[in-house]
Amino acid sequence: MASKALYSHRDPVLKKRDDFEDILEERRNSSDLRYAFKCYTPVLYRGLTPCKAATLKSMVLQSEQLLHVINQVSAESGESTDVVKDEAAAILEEMAHRLQLRTIRFFAYTLSKAFKALYRSVCVNEEGIQRLQQAMQEHPVVLLPSHRSYMDFLMMSYILYTYDLSLPVIAAGMDFLGMKFVGEMLRMSGAFFIRRSFGGDQLYWAVFSEYVKTMLRKGYAPIEFFLEGTRSRTCKSLTPKLGLLNIVMEPFFKGEVFDVNLVPVSMSYERVLEESLYARELLGVPKPKESTSGLLKARKILSEDYGSMHVYFSPPVSVRSLAQGRINRSQFNLTPRHVAQKPSEETQAFVNDVAYRIVRLQQENMVVKPWVLVATLLLQSVEGMELTELMEQTSWLRDLARMFGAFLDWPDHTPCSMVVSSSISLHRNLACVSGSRISLVVEGPQGPETPEEALFNRAVSVLSCASYRNQVLHVFLRPALLAMALSNANSSRKEDIYSCFDFLRNVFSDEFILSPGASVQDFDEACHLLVKCGAVELLHQDVVMAESGRTVLSFLTLLLEPFLQGYQVVCRYLREEATENLTEKQFIPAVRSFAVKLHLSGSLKCYEVLSSDLQKNALNALIRLNVVRRVRTNEQVLFKVNKAAVNSVEDTLGGRIPTQKSILARL
Amino acid sequence: MASIGDGSERQRIAQQRLRVLAGHLRRLGAEERPGVAAQECRAGAGTTEPDDKPPCSVPKRRQDIMKWNGWGYADSKFFFNKKGQGEFTGKRYRLSGLILPSLKDWFEGTFGANLQHKSPAVPSLNTSAVAPPSLNEAFVEELKSTGIPFSHDTEDRVFRAHGHCLHEIFSLRDGRVGRCPDMVVWPNCHNDVVKIVELACKHSVCLIPYGGGTSVSSALECPPEETRSIVSLDTSQMNRILWIDEKNLTAHVEAGIIGQDLERLLNESGYCTGHEPDSMEFSSLGGWVATRASGMKKNIYGNIEDLVVHIKMVTPRGVIEKSCQGPRMSTGPDIHHFILGSEGTLGVVTEVTLKIRPIPEYQKYGSVVFPNFQQGVACLREVAKQRCAPASIRLMDNEQFQFGHALKPQVSSIFTSFLDGLKKFYITKFKGFDPHHLCVATLLFEGDREKVLQHEKLVYDIAAKFGGLAAGEDNGQRGYMLTFVIAYLRDLGMEYYVIGESFETSVPWDRVLDLCRNVKERIVRECKEKGVQFPPLSTCRVTQTYDAGACVYFYFAFNYRGLSDPVHVYEQVEHAAREEILANGGSLSHHHGVGKLRKEWMQETISSVGLGMLKSVKDYLDPNNIFGNRNLL
Ligand SMILES: Cc1cc2nc3c(=O)[nH]c(=O)nc-3n(C[C@H](O)[C@H](O)[C@H](O)COP(=O)(O)OP(=O)(O)OC[C@H]3O[C@@H](n4cnc5c(N)ncnc54)[C@H](O)[C@@H]3O)c2cc1C
């Protein structure tokens, strides 16, 4: 199996992780101004002859790669090469960063102030920093942080500046440029801007990829981008996007650099700034256009407590080592290297595997806060629960999470009850205690509200809370899929359970990070963990629930229940209401109002189906399963639904139809 | 130094020319100079030694003058004297008898070696350790009746059981000898070869042609799985120039002649082939053809495939040759190209007609210093683009440049000190050159004096555009010397736990830099991973230029103290380096050939269909695998 090498089965608990240092501590004790003007002399990539941002631009414009495309475009369009060249120069002008130390120093000062106001601590694993420093000298480095907040890249640059490391250049979305001043500030602190979609624009692609590759080949600066493509509104990792990853790996494939180091960075927030904004957005309140005033309004945010934050730099991953035995680099021998080639299937699969591997590394080193466990439990009793019960269950869940390898930030020598109540108080906007009970906070208008409004407000709370639960999903995901397979399969034969597991895994592979082709490994890992915690036993060809396993298994099934229900509702909508001419634009509002209708009629309790994220993922899954077909007509995209097939997917999800047997020799 | 002057009489030029050759190579021995022998082999004459045979620089009994477990002449070697200074023994080379004071520091510094830690070789060949020959009696009987000389003396056999790969020499130094030829035959001429091949076919004997024994591809190694009697067919006695044709400027030569004899004999008539592989002291014409050899001065004279006009080869199917000596033909695929590079798998090359040239009037060395390797490569690329490459142009990287310094003799009228010169230069001219980055190109110009001087100017002007500064003739000359003594240096290293080897490739221009950097780094990294305790020497030079690319030559050596199986580690690293070369768009080999060492990559190199083509030729010519050295396929 291709990905075997990338995902060797191992017990996640045995992972050793580094200790953290709080970088704000020193900021609280010494002058920010002096810090902003400190002597900054990062070690550079050994092959680097430093050059100015402007020199970089002219190198890109004169590169063979770009000239080749310019000539092609000119030949195809009939425009003179000079015109096309100007066009390329304009694209580059719009795109390129203008990294300068002055701006960095400005940010160093202001962000120090801001971070101190926002966060109790910003904890960084210094061993990771040391490894990074080493890696930066040896090979070009690509920084791959998780993306949960606008803060992410400011924080990254801030940390690198603090540790005297080379500042990264950062791929950012063009939407920032909407905010004139901020956009330019970001540009001067190393951001370069890419249009969100440039599908067939050959010239744009060429300028963009050559710009990135030139910086990488030269080792100009570490290149930073977000594999997830955009901020995750749900705090779940998003399916990785491959475009930029392809670009940064190509110089290695073509022998232009000896190696490329990929450094996954996990940025965990105790509270994300955008918390409730995200929930509203998912529920269909349009996202506020990034505008300077919008961000300034965020000033009031500064008065709030966002707890602590953890940044974990994973050990660098060498592309060369990953590619060993998987990529035949001599495939590039027969074409001049400046001629762009479509990546071979082998290469695409490889890049995809690497992307998943990196996202999983990000997940593994995400710090899980106690509140995440509390939120997880609260969501399983939306009507609220007794505080004492919550304490008990949290402590139980803590132990389970640890056993499953979660990177928990649980204070030593503090009673569980204290830990729980202090996290509740930090998140008092989400949960409140009245008497001996705790329940979700639902903000509502002062006056009377319509049933829709009430539903909507409730959904905001649930989705906000879910964004915390989502932070621990990766820990429980595989065992939970197995738990669900156990309850869905009408058999205890390993084979049947595996095929059920495989089906669920396939259905949810847009929802969660499930590496393609790693189904067997995932199954093994899930079995291993469930056996370890005593929830199931493996007997010859059977997987059976252990007597003591009920609690764990029911917790795990409940954990995924909202997704299962959500997907079923989407199916039901498609089956019952979708018309012949369902357009792409209609889909989300239509599913939403279908779900609202079900809610109001009392036949649906699940709120997460209202999330556009879930709706999109479910649709993508159905498209992948060939149950829904995307049809592109002149102006729009239509969805053609095979209702019988949808019905059967829905039934299978509900465990009413056994999954087709997929015989696997390995089992 | 190399100015010959304007005199035009051939004889005088020839004399001068000999001195020139001796100049960059060795001192001429006192032996009488043989003339051209323009007579037919007396087929079946029954004499073992035709009396009109010119003496050869390497005798039949190679053991009389050559090392049994190292490179070259027994009387010539490097050693560290009691004071720890490097010295080169003997009288043959320009370095002979000289003291090399910087060698020790360079050696210890580069490898982390220590003169106290020795790894001496076994003192002599233990003949009892060699398996007795398995003779094919019927073959021997019939061979006797032909009068062709042969031997199954152990030393004769061991000498022909190996080439000069590291593992081969390392084993010998350890006193280990693998499968050897069971006997050696010395045909005197083409017809003798025809007879031997006939008898071999008749009696099912395995034949392995042996030329100068300089193979570096395991080509001469006897396949251990071979069960038939193995006969080494030593061509060294087929060493006459049969005729010289001054009208067409060709010479017809027996294939066993070795490079230095061929040049010397032609020089006497005022000619040369200009084919000068670094191994030319010992390698043979037949060996060159069989391996597609390349000479240092190919820019003027061409590689072996450009030099041959006609080839005669004896195969189990019969003799293959063309019917005329036309300079170019359109008669289907060129059959010469099945022979060139056949590595002894198809038959024995017995006679070759070669192009010859009048000895050049004037020869001049030169050198250019560049601020870094990148600039140097850019310059060579430009020179190639303008098609104005001198006879030879080589660009050494910084490590190799420093290596060159290590060989600076103590007292020398011939060598001015480069370093001293450099220091002087440094202040005045080289400001801004980082001694840890600069690299040097060595040049050799040949031709009319006038033209050489013009040519020289042209090249230096181009160099200047890439930041290159002329750095004198001596440095150029020393660069070339290095390549002649490198094999002797390896023997020195092996006395002190240092093993090494060179390997080469050819690569398109745009990939030269990337390939050099990646391969060098791969070597360093693999050494570390394989547990080598000291950083290796990993260095390269661009050694030939072509229109569409260049030939790159790597040296790789390391200190193996602390390793239990150093040769295995060495081989793993070389293997990885070759993988890296191929991944970076380099070829499997530019001139060393494939042999058995690089066979595993043949299919990916020439495609399975290509391999099938070659196999079908082999099947047709040699269905019973008489030429069973198992190279190439
Ligand atoms: C120090 C050193 C420097 C070198 N420098 C160069 C260089 O500059 N350029 C270069 O091209 N190579 C170089 N080589 C490699 C080697 O010298 C060449 O491959 C050379 O052509 C081999 O010739 P040989 O006579 O020594 O052949 P051998 O080593 O005796 O044989 C080589 C192969 O050719 C076959 N063979 C030999 N003679 C015949 C024949 N008459 N008919 C059929 N098959 C035959 C043998 O069976 C064997 O497979 C160098 C090697 C060393 C050790």
Side-chain angles (χ1 to χ4, degrees):
Chain A
M1 179 166 297
S3 48
K4 197 100 196 175
L6 294 190
Y7 308 100
S8 56
H9 176 65
R10 63 197 183 294
D11 192 331
V13 187
L14 300 177
K15 269 186 71 74
K16 261 199 63 160
R17 294 184 179 98
D18 309 333
D19 294 333
F20 285 104
E21 283 309 312
D22 174 15
I23 59 167
L24 288 189
E25 197 173 301
E26 201 188 319
R27 293 281 38 77
R28 297 193 205 277
N29 298 323
S30 68
S31 152
D32 288 337
L33 204 59
R34 199 170 310 140
Y35 162 76
F37 285 99
K38 72 172 185 170
C39 163
Y40 167 74
T41 48
V43 288
L44 301 175
Y45 172 52
R46 59 180 168 158
L48 176 68
T49 20
C51 75
K52 292 230 163 60
T55 323
L56 193 67
K57 278 192 226 170
S58 63
M59 282 170 62
V60 173
L61 290 174
Q62 280 154 27
S63 68
E64 270 181 317
Q65 283 77 352
L66 188 53
L67 291 180
H68 178 76
V69 174
I70 288 174
N71 287 333
Q72 250 179 350
V73 169
S74 144
E76 278 162 25
S77 66
E79 301 261 28
S80 78
T81 48
D82 284 343
V83 171
V84 184
K85 263 185 205 165
D86 288 347
E87 231 176 283
I91 294 173
L92 187 57
E93 201 53 39
E94 176 195 81
M95 179 183 307
H97 71 81
R98 278 201 305 277
L99 180 62
Q100 44 171 272
L101 197 53
R102 247 182 308 154
T103 318
I104 297 297
R105 293 194 189 283
F106 167 79
F107 271 119
Y109 181 76
T110 47
L111 288 179
S112 291
K113 300 284 181 217
F115 289 159
K116 280 187 285 187
L118 289 170
Y119 300 118
R120 297 180 190 171
S121 62
V122 172
C123 300
V124 177
N125 65 324
E126 292 197 337
E127 279 163 77
I129 293 285
Q130 275 158 24
R131 287 187 299 252
L132 177 61
Q133 184 181 33
Q134 188 63 33
M136 278 175 168
Q137 292 172 60
E138 282 172 5
H139 303 294
V141 162
V142 178
L143 294 166
L144 298 167
S146 56
H147 204 9
R148 302 288 173 267
S149 168
Y150 280 141
M151 263 318 152
D152 293 331
F153 57 85
L154 294 177
M155 187 53 92
M156 279 292 288
S157 298
Y158 184 83
I159 293 173
L160 296 190
Y161 173 82
T162 305
Y163 286 103
D164 226 18
L165 294 180
S166 293
L167 291 162
V169 289
I170 308 136
M174 202 66 115
D175 24 11
F176 279 107
L177 284 181
M179 312 178 268
K180 243 317 170 246
F181 173 70
V182 175
E184 288 313 307
M185 284 299 283
L186 293 178
R187 199 194 278 285
M188 288 188 286
S189 57
F192 61 95
F193 297 95
I194 318 160
R195 296 182 193 157
R196 282 262 175 243
S197 60
F198 44 90
D201 191 338
Q202 204 190 353
L203 187 65
Y204 192 88
W205 176 260
V207 173
F208 164 51
S209 67
E210 195 47 33
Y211 182 57
V212 175
K213 283 188 271 186
T214 304
M215 292 190 287
L216 185 108
R217 279 187 217 113
K218 283 195 56 92
Y220 176 88
I223 291 171
E224 175 180 320
F225 62 91
F226 298 104
L227 261 183
E228 296 165 283
T230 180
R231 291 173 299 152
S232 164
R233 270 65 169 170
T234 57
C235 285
K236 259 184 315 164
S237 301
L238 304 178
T239 314
K241 306 282 177 293
L242 305 182
L244 259 163
L245 192 60
N246 248 313
I247 291 177
V248 296
M249 290 186 14
E250 199 189 280
F252 164 72
F253 295 152
K254 291 192 171 175
E256 294 164 336
V257 295
F258 184 78
D259 199 354
V260 175
N261 275 323
L262 306 178
V263 181
V265 184
S266 313
M267 312 192 74
S268 344
Y269 296 87
E270 188 161 13
R271 259 186 86 192
V272 177
L273 295 181
E274 293 95 330
E275 183 180 83
S276 66
L277 275 183
Y278 283 159
R280 278 164 219 282
E281 209 182 292
L282 290 171
L283 290 167
V285 179
K287 150 184 177 195
K289 206 167 156 39
E290 267 73 307
S291 68
T292 308
S293 62
L295 226 148
L296 288 181
K297 248 182 253 153
R299 278 191 71 118
K300 81 162 183 281
I301 291 177
L302 286 178
S303 56
E304 291 225 17
D305 179 356
Y306 288 90
S308 61
M309 124 163 236
H310 288 84
V311 182
Y312 195 96
F313 291 83
S314 296
V317 178
S318 143
V319 174
R320 175 177 276 266
S321 325
L322 294 180
Q324 179 73 35
R326 292 214 41 195
I327 295 289
N328 178 3
R329 285 182 285 151
S330 56
Q331 64 184 291
F332 299 99
N333 287 355
L334 297 180
T335 327
R337 289 181 297 176
H338 67 266
V339 178
Q341 273 171 278
K342 199 179 169 321
S344 63
E345 255 169 52
E346 170 200 44
T347 310
Q348 280 173 5
F350 172 71
V351 174
N352 194 43
D353 281 355
V354 173
Y356 273 90
R357 181 190 172 93
I358 299 289
V359 175
R360 284 204 61 190
L361 284 169
Q362 287 174 354
Q363 289 182 330
E364 274 179 24
N365 293 322
M366 286 284 201
V367 169
V368 175
K369 285 286 183 177
W371 167 252
V372 167
L373 304 183
V374 174
T376 305
L377 292 166
L378 275 178
L379 280 176
Q380 296 195 0
S381 333
V382 198
E383 304 310 323
M385 63 205 294
E386 287 295 314
L387 249 182
T388 47
E389 197 190 337
L390 176 72
M391 305 278 182
E392 240 167 64
Q393 288 191 16
T394 308
S395 134
W396 170 83
L397 187 54
R398 175 196 61 197
D399 296 344
L400 188 68
R402 277 203 180 129
M403 198 186 289
F404 284 9
F407 193 6
L408 263 184
D409 180 38
W410 194 281
D412 297 328
H413 319 297
T414 315
C416 181
S417 58
M418 289 232 329
V419 176
V420 172
S421 49
S422 83
S423 41
I424 293 173
S425 87
L426 181 69
H427 294 276
R428 54 187 166 273
N429 61 325
L430 293 179
C432 66
V433 179
S434 61
S436 66
R437 283 187 75 78
I438 173 166
S439 57
L440 287 185
V441 172
V442 180
E443 277 183 52
Q446 304 317 82
E449 50 182 3
T450 64
E452 277 95 349
E453 278 167 351
L455 172 63
F456 174 82
N457 286 328
R458 193 142 183 83
V460 169
S461 311
V462 172
L463 290 192
S464 301
C465 221
S467 74
Y468 290 94
R469 174 209 58 199
N470 287 347
Q471 296 177 27
V472 78
L473 277 182
H474 65 272
V475 173
F476 295 116
L477 176 62
R478 287 158 189 79
L481 286 172
L482 180 55
M484 201 173 248
L486 279 168
S487 84
N488 272 10
N490 297 319
S491 140
S492 63
R493 291 191 45 211
K494 195 171 179 183
E495 222 170 83
D496 297 332
I497 291 165
Y498 173 77
S499 67
C500 202
F501 175 89
D502 187 45
F503 171 78
L504 290 169
R505 198 181 165 282
N506 190 7
V507 169
F508 288 127
S509 61
D510 291 87
E511 197 69 50
F512 310 118
I513 299 301
L514 290 160
S515 325
S519 192
V520 175
Q521 282 102 306
D522 283 351
F523 185 72
D524 288 346
E525 188 182 319
C527 289
H528 170 81
L529 291 175
L530 285 190
V531 168
K532 189 168 135 183
C533 71
V536 302
E537 285 165 29
L538 299 182
L539 304 167
H540 304 290
Q541 288 308 306
D542 290 298
V543 183
V544 289
M545 196 208 310
E547 244 339 285
S548 55
R550 207 165 293 279
T551 335
V552 173
L553 293 180
S554 82
F555 164 77
L556 291 173
T557 16
L558 275 178
L559 188 67
L560 293 191
E561 186 62 24
F563 299 97
L564 194 70
Q565 276 194 28
Y567 277 48
Q568 284 173 314
V569 170
V570 173
C571 286
R572 207 173 138 193
Y573 159 75
L574 288 172
R575 197 161 46 80
E576 292 176 5
E577 305 218 330
T579 61
E580 264 303 289
N581 294 314
L582 175 64
T583 66
E584 192 171 32
K585 282 208 192 75
Q586 289 164 349
F587 173 75
I588 286 186
V591 181
R592 187 182 302 130
S593 53
F594 180 73
V596 167
K597 204 174 67 189
L598 291 183
H599 254 285
L600 295 180
S601 74
S603 59
L604 179 65
K605 289 273 174 290
C606 164
Y607 291 89
E608 288 177 54
V609 66
L610 294 168
S611 152
S612 58
D613 183 64
L614 182 144
Q615 294 156 1
K616 278 185 228 159
N617 292 337
L619 180 66
N620 282 338
L622 294 171
I623 292 175
R624 199 158 19 77
L625 294 171
N626 284 324
V627 166
V628 173
R629 239 173 354 114
R630 254 176 87 98
V631 183
R632 193 176 283 278
T633 64
N634 312 336
E635 288 290 290
Q636 47 188 357
V637 174
L638 295 181
F639 297 121
K640 299 286 175 194
V641 182
N642 175 344
K643 299 208 170 179
V646 169
N647 193 19
S648 119
V649 170
E650 193 186 337
D651 283 352
T652 317
L653 279 176
R656 266 165 294 185
I657 301 181
T659 41
Q660 260 121 31
K661 281 212 180 86
S662 61
I663 307 299
L664 271 160
R666 275 177 289 273
L667 290 171
Chain B
M1 61 123 250
S3 158
I4 294 181
D6 292 317
S8 57
E9 337 84 276
R10 287 236 165 111
Q11 202 50 44
R12 237 200 53 182
I13 295 177
Q15 301 273 325
Q16 293 279 14
R17 167 70 192 143
L18 285 176
R19 254 172 272 145
V20 169
L21 195 67
H24 66 244
L25 203 55
R26 77 195 157 280
R27 290 183 183 156
L28 254 187
E31 74 262 61
E32 64 191 280
R33 276 180 221 116
V36 174
Q39 69 295 304
E40 291 298 304
C41 170
R42 282 168 280 159
T47 52
T48 54
E49 199 74 37
D51 25 272
D52 50 352
K53 250 183 77 56
C56 168
S57 301
V58 176
K60 248 166 89 174
R61 280 180 52 83
R62 300 175 77 85
Q63 51 271 43
D64 289 347
I65 63 162
M66 297 185 62
K67 293 194 191 77
W68 69 277
N69 65 354
W71 177 251
Y73 297 108
D75 58 18
S76 301
K77 61 175 204 165
F78 286 99
F79 74 106
F80 288 112
N81 64 24
K82 292 208 181 71
K83 288 191 214 146
Q85 294 166 314
E87 241 185 277
F88 195 62
T89 62
K91 296 198 175 88
R92 295 174 189 270
Y93 296 89
R94 304 194 59 180
L95 275 184
S96 300
L98 297 182
I99 288 191
L100 313 163
S102 351
L103 188 58
K104 171 172 177 273
D105 283 351
W106 175 83
F107 183 73
E108 293 188 331
T110 305
F111 296 108
N114 185 322
L115 298 197
Q116 308 311 314
H117 299 303
K118 293 203 67 173
S119 50
V122 299
S124 60
L125 175 62
N126 174 7
T127 48
S128 62
V130 180
S134 121
L135 296 174
N136 179 318
E137 294 302 342
F139 174 79
V140 176
E141 274 317 302
E142 276 206 59
L143 185 66
K144 261 186 200 154
S145 70
T146 64
I148 298 168
F150 66 90
S151 152
H152 41 79
D153 169 71
T154 307
E155 281 194 347
D156 285 337
R157 292 166 52 218
V158 171
F159 261 80
R160 284 154 189 88
H162 67 87
H164 284 271
C165 288
L166 174 76
H167 66 269
E168 296 172 313
I169 300 300
F170 196 90
S171 304
L172 288 175
R173 288 176 56 91
D174 253 9
R176 283 178 286 126
V177 181
R179 175 85 155 96
C180 284
D182 298 298
M183 62 188 273
V184 182
V185 289
W186 285 274
N188 280 305
C189 62
H190 171 77
N191 287 345
D192 283 357
V193 175
V194 173
K195 279 184 218 151
I196 295 168
V197 173
E198 271 170 17
L199 290 181
C201 292
K202 183 170 165 193
H203 298 290
S204 187
V205 161
C206 171
L207 289 179
I208 299 187
Y210 181 90
T214 64
S215 161
V216 280
S217 60
S218 301
L220 293 170
E221 246 172 41
C222 297
E225 67 271 30
E226 180 59 67
T227 51
R228 296 171 295 185
S229 179
I230 300 180
V231 174
S232 172
L233 190 155
D234 182 328
T235 60
S236 64
Q237 304 311 301
M238 308 197 297
N239 57 5
R240 293 164 302 174
I241 296 179
L242 297 176
W243 46 254
I244 291 177
D245 176 348
E246 303 198 22
K247 292 206 185 62
N248 294 307
L249 286 179
T250 52
H252 192 63
V253 189
E254 289 184 313
I257 195 164
I258 57 174
Q260 56 168 315
D261 290 346
L262 175 63
E263 278 321 273
R264 190 174 61 232
L265 292 171
L266 286 175
N267 282 182
E268 285 173 4
S269 313
Y271 293 105
C272 66
T273 63
H275 184 66
E276 295 184 12
D278 292 351
S279 58
M280 71 176 287
E281 290 170 276
F282 305 106
S283 58
S284 70
L285 173 56
W288 301 336
V289 170
T291 59
R292 291 181 69 91
S294 169
M296 172 177 96
K297 300 194 295 193
K298 73 92 194 156
N299 291 337
I300 295 186
Y301 301 95
N303 288 317
I304 193 67
E305 68 274 19
D306 309 308
L307 284 162
V308 294
V309 176
H310 186 271
I311 306 174
K312 205 192 260 187
M313 178 165 80
V314 180
T315 77
R317 254 309 148 183
V319 175
I320 175 173
E321 63 179 319
K322 294 184 188 174
S323 66
C324 68
Q325 316 229 32
R328 181 180 187 274
M329 302 183 201
S330 174
T331 49
D334 190 340
I335 53 164
H336 282 174
H337 284 293
F338 287 113
I339 300 172
L340 286 155
S342 58
E343 303 194 351
T345 60
L346 301 179
V348 185
V349 176
T350 53
E351 290 172 15
V352 179
T353 307
L354 282 169
K355 297 183 200 167
I356 56 173
R357 302 291 304 164
I359 295 175
E361 177 195 317
Y362 187 68
Q363 203 182 33
K364 193 172 179 187
Y365 288 99
S367 66
V368 181
V369 177
F370 292 97
N372 55 44
F373 193 63
Q374 208 169 334
Q375 299 274 79
V377 171
C379 172
L380 263 63
R381 202 282 159 267
E382 184 60 28
V383 166
K385 199 187 241 169
Q386 297 194 20
R387 293 203 170 158
C388 64
S392 167
I393 176 165
R394 291 172 166 179
L395 178 75
M396 305 194 265
D397 69 3
N398 186 264
E399 290 86 352
Q400 218 166 106
F401 157 79
Q402 304 199 11
F403 184 5
H405 282 172
L407 294 178
K408 197 194 77 183
Q410 186 174 38
V411 215
S412 159
S413 51
I414 316 157
F415 299 97
T416 57
S417 148
F418 186 79
L419 252 191
D420 296 347
L422 187 65
K423 272 178 209 142
K424 237 186 291 158
F425 254 66
Y426 198 72
I427 303 159
T428 54
K429 276 189 167 175
F430 285 158
K431 268 209 169 130
F433 278 44
D434 178 344
H436 296 290
H437 287 295
L438 63 78
C439 70
V440 63
T442 59
L443 311 166
L444 175 62
F445 297 92
E446 254 186 38
D448 289 344
R449 190 188 154 84
E450 199 89 329
K451 284 201 185 127
V452 162
L453 295 178
Q454 269 172 16
H455 193 177
E456 191 185 22
K457 178 164 175 352
L458 177 62
V459 172
Y460 284 123
D461 284 350
I462 295 176
K465 289 201 192 100
F466 295 90
L469 293 172
E473 293 182 43
D474 292 343
N475 302 311
Q477 195 181 359
R478 196 170 41 234
Y480 288 100
M481 187 196 62
L482 179 69
T483 62
F484 281 96
V485 297
I486 183 80
Y488 285 107
L489 271 170
R490 181 172 77 182
D491 291 340
L492 177 73
M494 283 201 271
E495 293 279 317
Y496 297 94
Y497 288 96
V498 172
I499 52 177
E501 181 90 285
S502 60
F503 51 91
E504 41 72 26
T505 186
S506 55
V507 60
W509 277 116
D510 71 311
R511 297 175 193 253
V512 169
L513 278 177
D514 289 331
L515 180 133
C516 290
R517 181 199 54 236
N518 290 350
V519 172
K520 287 200 283 184
E521 175 141 7
R522 178 77 181 261
I523 289 172
V524 172
R525 197 194 266 209
E526 292 285 335
C527 280
K528 206 168 172 183
E529 275 170 21
K530 302 285 175 312
V532 177
Q533 311 278 313
F534 306 86
L537 173 71
S538 169
T539 153
C540 72
R541 66 169 187 264
V542 177
T543 201
Q544 286 292 3
T545 64
Y546 292 88
D547 285 352
C551 167
V552 181
Y553 201 93
F554 294 91
Y555 290 127
F556 153 46
F558 63 86
N559 181 340
Y560 67 84
R561 287 189 68 212
L563 296 183
S564 58
D565 192 350
V567 171
H568 182 62
V569 169
Y570 167 79
E571 284 172 348
Q572 285 180 312
V573 178
E574 186 186 336
H575 189 274
R578 181 59 60 183
E579 293 273 344
E580 193 62 33
I581 287 174
L582 298 177
N584 282 273
S587 65
L588 188 54
S589 169
H590 168 265
H591 61 267
H592 281 171
V594 175
K596 288 177 274 290
L597 193 61
R598 285 175 277 274
K599 210 161 111 157
E600 65 180 284
W601 289 289
M602 270 302 270
Q603 176 160 334
E604 80 178 72
T605 300
I606 63 169
S607 81
S608 51
V609 176
L611 201 63
M613 281 172 74
L614 295 187
K615 281 200 173 121
S616 65
V617 170
K618 165 80 178 173
D619 288 345
Y620 174 75
L621 287 179
D622 185 16
N624 297 317
N625 197 27
I626 296 302
F627 289 91
N629 59 17
R630 296 184 200 233
N631 291 335
L632 214 52
L633 299 175

